[in-house]
Amino acid sequence: MLKRFTVAVSQSHTLPTTSATLSALASTAQEAALQGIDLLLFPEAYLGGYPRTCNFGAAVGSRSDEGREQFLQYFHSAVDLGDTPRGAGDDWVERKLELVKGHDHRGDGTREELEKVATETGVFLVIGLVERAGGSLYCAVVYVCPREGCVGKRRKVMPTGSERLIWAQGSPSTLKAVTTTIQGVKLTLAAAICWENYMPLLRYSLYSQNVNLYLAPTADARDTWLPLMRTIACESRAYVLSANQCVRRKHLPSWVQSSASENAKSSSASQGTPKRVHNSAPAKAEETQQFKISSLDQGNISKTPEPTPGDKAHGVISPSPLHLGDTPSDSDSRTDSPVQQRKGRRRSSNLMPMPDNHFLALPGDSAVDESEENAPADDGDDELVCRGGSCIIGPTGDVLKGPLWDVEDGGLLIARDIDFEDCERGRLDLDVAGSYSRNDAFELRVAGLDLNPPP
């Protein structure tokens, strides 16, 4: 029997209220069901929100009253799933925790709402959210099965940078993989959130549990993210799904925007208004031209463009994300070639031509981009503060879908009829937690976590 089904990631951004975001999530799940999607991943902190650009009034040695008010607003936007601050694990999953007298559930009802959406649509949902437990917030992921409800939840063990001010550290025991069966395919799935994916030992703890579906909800839209996802897929011999939000400044909560406005005024007053720098036009997904990877080992890419093979595409990578429906052109590339970068520029005396289309910059007046002088000023509200970059990767590192750039309306990346036996085929030459592990010499232990594959 073929081991195939359809997966997708949703590049959805958080809406102004939790109830509005839940409603949008339900609509996206309904659309996914209509498109025959079996499993759908949402971005990091989709419920509760990722407070990008907000500093919460904090500096080393001081916190402001305004920052505390911002944290209050953020605290209220988080969801309460009825778990304990330490995390009750299986007792939470199996609803064994004590109920408040007169209530039939714990928390604010979000868990029950998510289970209802999964049941009604038949879609297995994996959702990034900000969870409120006791007096702390946790960045978390919840796994919601359409048959069994919530079958697992985990909390980010290592918030990054300023996230540590607002998010507590989750228990490593929550790195436990979950198992389910979809369309007759047995899945072992687990999630690493954002920069947890840069933690080699954490990744290995998931590999050790023999995952064949690796989930990476994130807030990272850097160019370095896609190579990381490809590396993880190649290491794990698992399918990798990564979902990020595409966010404009106007999408941020009002309490974040007011903080950013005050910071900008302060910076402008003390330093003067900096000259606006116009970059090349941002690229937009999806694929309209693709190049076939002729050899995974050699990394050779044929130079002959092929037509997009549709949602059943395997083993292809788009050299650059292009505008939806557009034909390829120089202006569509996300990263221009040296020749393209020189178009529309007046060469000043400080640029010395060098071989291979390179220029040597010498002291003197810098080159002036003519398009900068004539370009209209950007509307600050429409400024992209996160470009997205969601993607789906095959178990040998091939890019199946994405990266999806600058699509902010809940765009779905869909990979249809993916063959999970490809995960086993890949183990011929690499099983980093088994035949390629030298477990007689190297050993990893994680507090409170059984690293053996689940039954």
Side-chain angles (χ1 to χ4, degrees):
M1 184 178 68
L2 294 177
K3 296 182 178 180
R4 298 173 182 265
F5 67 91
T6 299
V7 300
V9 299
S10 175
Q11 190 157 289
S12 303
H13 65 80
T14 305
L15 298 181
T17 66
T18 301
S19 60
T21 308
L22 277 168
S23 178
L25 183 151
S27 296
T28 302
Q30 290 163 5
E31 174 63 23
L34 292 175
Q35 299 216 30
I37 294 167
D38 299 296
L39 183 144
L40 178 61
L41 172 67
F42 286 87
E44 177 183 18
Y46 177 54
L47 295 179
Y50 189 87
R52 193 176 295 275
T53 76
C54 187
N55 60 23
F56 291 93
V60 175
S62 68
R63 268 71 57 197
S64 71
D65 291 341
E66 292 79 6
R68 296 185 190 280
E69 185 63 29
Q70 289 177 324
F71 182 73
L72 176 65
Q73 298 292 326
Y74 190 47
F75 193 86
H76 288 169
S77 69
V79 298
D80 182 356
L81 300 178
D83 202 356
T84 64
R86 293 190 64 179
D90 289 342
D91 285 347
W92 176 82
V93 171
E94 298 167 10
R95 301 180 183 274
K96 293 181 178 179
L97 298 178
E98 182 181 359
L99 296 176
V100 175
K101 187 176 181 179
H103 290 72
D104 61 358
H105 65 268
R106 289 173 61 93
D108 61 10
T110 298
R111 172 179 179 168
E112 288 69 27
E113 182 66 23
L114 296 177
E115 290 176 334
K116 178 183 176 183
V117 172
T119 299
E120 291 179 348
T121 61
V123 178
F124 193 107
L125 303 174
V126 184
I127 304 153
L129 51 83
V130 179
E131 179 189 9
R132 183 173 72 246
S136 292
L137 301 180
Y138 299 86
C139 181
V141 167
V142 64
Y143 311 95
V144 191
C145 174
R147 301 183 306 275
E148 304 176 52
C150 289
V151 293
K153 175 172 65 69
R154 62 151 310 222
R155 293 170 173 171
K156 194 172 186 177
V157 301
M158 190 67 254
T160 301
S162 299
E163 295 172 359
R164 297 173 201 160
L165 178 68
I166 53 174
W167 294 342
Q169 294 179 333
S171 169
S173 64
T174 67
L175 287 163
K176 178 181 178 182
V178 300
T179 58
T180 190
T181 301
I182 297 178
Q183 302 286 7
V185 180
K186 182 180 178 181
L187 285 181
T188 302
L189 60 150
I193 306 171
C194 204
W195 275 24
E196 285 184 332
N197 289 282
Y198 282 115
M199 301 172 68
L201 297 183
L202 186 146
R203 296 204 309 261
Y204 191 78
S205 73
L206 303 185
Y207 301 163
S208 296
Q209 298 175 73
N210 200 35
V211 297
N212 56 2
L213 185 59
Y214 186 110
L215 305 160
T218 188
D220 189 342
R222 297 169 177 85
D223 291 340
T224 50
W225 187 254
L226 182 64
L228 176 62
M229 294 298 98
R230 297 188 68 186
T231 297
I232 289 172
C234 193
E235 282 184 341
S236 64
R237 293 300 199 246
Y239 283 95
V240 174
L241 276 58
S242 183
N244 194 4
Q245 302 189 39
C246 178
V247 182
R248 295 187 184 275
R249 189 168 296 281
K250 64 184 178 183
H251 298 145
L252 298 173
S254 58
W255 51 268
V256 171
Q257 294 188 58
S258 61
S259 170
S261 176
E262 290 301 318
N263 290 338
K265 289 178 181 178
S266 174
S267 175
S268 177
S270 61
Q271 301 177 14
T273 303
K275 179 181 178 181
R276 182 181 299 274
V277 177
H278 295 276
N279 297 321
S280 59
K284 303 190 185 216
E286 258 245 358
E287 312 101 312
T288 59
Q289 178 187 17
Q290 296 175 325
F291 293 86
K292 181 182 296 182
I293 296 181
S294 58
S295 168
L296 177 65
D297 294 331
Q298 296 177 355
N300 296 325
I301 300 178
S302 67
K303 298 301 182 181
T304 304
E306 296 190 344
T308 303
D311 284 327
K312 294 184 179 181
H314 286 160
V316 296
I317 178 171
S318 173
S320 63
L322 304 176
H323 292 271
L324 281 167
D326 287 352
T327 54
S329 67
D330 290 344
S331 62
D332 285 323
S333 293
R334 183 157 182 261
T335 303
D336 291 339
S337 69
V339 174
Q340 291 167 334
Q341 290 172 352
R342 292 197 300 278
K343 289 181 179 179
R345 295 181 66 88
R346 297 198 308 269
R347 187 187 303 168
S348 64
S349 58
N350 69 329
L351 291 182
M352 177 180 294
M354 300 293 288
D356 300 325
N357 291 325
H358 292 146
F359 281 80
L360 177 64
L362 300 176
D365 295 334
S366 60
V368 178
D369 191 332
E370 294 174 352
S371 63
E372 288 183 13
E373 296 180 339
N374 300 321
D378 292 334
D379 183 344
D381 285 346
D382 283 333
E383 176 192 359
L384 279 167
V385 294
C386 183
R387 298 186 60 226
S390 303
C391 59
I392 300 176
I393 315 296
T396 52
D398 299 338
V399 180
L400 305 183
K401 290 295 173 181
L404 186 62
W405 298 111
D406 302 354
V407 175
E408 59 191 86
D409 56 355
L412 290 174
L413 276 182
I414 305 172
R416 297 192 182 278
D417 297 326
I418 59 175
D419 186 355
F420 274 81
E421 287 188 329
D422 283 347
C423 302
E424 296 162 358
R425 294 183 182 99
R427 301 294 175 89
L428 170 66
D429 52 3
L430 186 67
D431 180 8
V432 295
S435 62
Y436 217 83
S437 68
R438 284 303 306 270
N439 54 21
D440 59 321
F442 302 99
E443 181 182 4
L444 173 66
R445 289 177 292 176
V446 180
L449 181 65
D450 181 3
L451 294 181
N452 290 310

